[in-house]
């Protein structure tokens, strides 16, 4: 079920979501990269980040809660080690590099540092994690001017496709998506995780960072509603993510207006989940 989006040919509309497949290393351990349509890397920050205190993941009946804290090796290491590995190992698989930062200048620095390199198709700006120091922990997407500044600065640095990843708890996600597009975004990824808290039987938080992002099956209806709302507000491709475990889930996103979908938590339950969904979608299309 091949499709063309952003002028890029994807063998399938099914991609692996940021934070679930590293820089592609886990993919080659369990499948051929050609079995999925593409992937989004871990979020890259200017400096290395060690992440949040353990435990970082907690399961519950509706999915899981995670607070990894954007752990990554930083721009220099990604440029020196990860991108060369991707070029050698992933072939022509379309890859988007997720970018995060504490300020607009950090987003720009990461994109500027990666732009001259080969081995990836575009950027996904993670504007929906609480990583913005000057907003007191609020995501960039909740501040119109902060969002505009990040997207405009990045847009001026690259001719590659730029995606903006938005938050599910945005009270007006359609307006935020439209603002991102006006600022230069080529596409919108909807959605990221929902803030949540889990406690043990003694009332203690189950995560080292106390709160985290809720993902998994419980996120499906929230993501579908967001994609439908965003797709009606913008004329650029929308990438749907949240709670996709089956080909039926993916098809629901495509019917809601998504041009591509991303599989996240499903890959933790089954490392081949995205490949299975891609294969089943192709079989249905035939």
């Amino acid at each position: 079920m091949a499709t063309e989006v952003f002028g890029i040919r994807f063998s399938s509309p099914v991609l692996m979501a940021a934070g679930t497949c590293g820089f592609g290393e886990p993919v080659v351990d369990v499948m051929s990269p050609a079995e999925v349509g593409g992937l989004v890397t871990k979020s890259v920050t200017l400096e290395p980040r060690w992440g949040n205190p353990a435990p970082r993941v907690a399961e519950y009946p509706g999915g899981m809660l995670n607070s990894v804290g954007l752990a990554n090796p930083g721009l220099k290491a990604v440029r020196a080690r990860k991108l060369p590995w991707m070029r050698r190992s992933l072939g022509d698989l379309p890859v988007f590099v997720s970018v995060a930062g504490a300020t607009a200048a950090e987003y720009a620095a990461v994109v500027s540092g990666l732009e001259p390199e080969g081995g990836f198709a575009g950027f996904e700006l993670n504007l929906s994690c609480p990583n913005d120091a000057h907003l007191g922990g609020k995501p960039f997407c909740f501040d119109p001017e902060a969002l505009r500044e990040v997207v405009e600065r990045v847009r001026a640095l690259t001719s590659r496709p730029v995606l903006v990843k938005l938050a599910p708890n945005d009270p007006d996600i359609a307006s935020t998506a439209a603002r991102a597009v006006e600022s230069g975004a080529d596409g919108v990824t909807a959605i990221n995780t929902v803030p949540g808290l889990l406690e043990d039987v003694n009332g203690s938080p189950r995560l080292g960072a106390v709160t985290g992002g809720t993902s998994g099956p419980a996120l499906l209806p929230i993501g579908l509603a967001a994609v439908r709302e965003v797709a009606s507000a913008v004329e650029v491709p929308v990438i749907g993510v949240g709670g996709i475990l089956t080909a039926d889930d993916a098809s629901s996103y495509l019917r809601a207006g998504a041009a591509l979908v991303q599989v996240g938590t499903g890959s933790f339950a089954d490392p081949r989940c995205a490949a299975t969904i891609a294969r089943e979608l192709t079989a249905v299309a035939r």
Side-chain angles (χ1 to χ4, degrees):
M1 189 177 174
T3 186
E4 185 170 314
V5 187
F6 310 117
I8 301 167
R9 183 186 183 278
F10 296 86
S11 63
S12 165
V14 182
L15 283 62
M16 301 184 75
T20 63
C21 56
F23 292 87
E25 304 95 333
V27 176
V28 299
D29 289 339
V30 297
M31 71 180 90
S32 165
E35 292 184 64
V36 293
L39 64 85
V40 185
T41 71
K42 288 180 67 68
S43 290
V44 179
T45 53
L46 184 58
E47 301 296 335
R49 291 195 185 185
W50 299 110
N52 288 333
R56 295 178 174 181
V57 176
E59 294 185 56
Y60 78 108
M64 77 175 196
L65 196 67
N66 84 87
S67 184
V68 175
L70 298 175
N72 77 98
L75 170 62
K76 290 182 179 179
V78 169
R79 192 170 53 203
R81 299 197 300 270
K82 299 300 185 180
L83 290 183
W85 182 91
M86 287 161 51
R87 289 192 288 267
R88 292 193 306 269
S89 307
L90 299 181
D92 296 327
L93 186 71
V95 175
F96 287 84
V97 175
S98 177
V99 179
T103 65
E106 289 187 8
Y107 280 87
V110 173
V111 171
S112 179
L114 295 176
E115 175 62 16
E117 304 294 328
F120 67 100
F123 297 97
E124 182 179 83
L125 305 182
N126 186 352
L127 301 184
S128 43
C129 274
N131 53 29
D132 180 4
H134 79 270
L135 290 179
K138 294 181 182 178
F140 278 87
C141 63
F142 290 156
D143 183 290
E145 291 310 310
L147 178 144
R148 189 183 304 278
E149 181 183 4
V150 173
V151 178
E152 287 182 347
R153 290 184 69 158
V154 168
R155 176 74 284 161
L157 295 169
T158 180
S159 59
R160 287 180 165 104
V162 174
L163 315 180
V164 171
K165 190 170 186 178
L166 300 183
N169 51 328
D170 186 334
D172 193 357
I173 194 170
S175 293
T176 302
R179 187 174 299 109
V181 173
E182 291 168 2
S183 302
D186 298 293
V188 176
T189 301
I191 51 176
N192 211 321
T193 55
V194 176
L197 168 70
L198 287 173
E199 297 181 338
D200 62 21
V201 293
N202 298 315
S204 298
R206 291 177 59 188
L207 294 181
V210 182
T211 60
T214 308
S215 63
L219 205 56
L220 180 66
I222 301 170
L224 285 172
V227 164
R228 182 176 294 276
E229 188 173 353
V230 170
S232 68
V234 299
E235 296 183 358
V236 300
V238 178
I239 298 87
V241 55
I244 299 175
L245 298 181
T246 68
D248 285 343
D249 296 338
S251 294
S252 293
Y253 269 101
L254 297 176
R255 288 192 297 270
L260 301 168
V261 299
Q262 295 177 9
V263 176
T265 299
S267 295
F268 292 118
D270 173 8
R272 291 186 52 79
C273 181
T276 299
I277 293 172
R279 183 176 64 253
E280 292 177 354
L281 281 181
T282 298
V284 169
R286 290 173 179 166

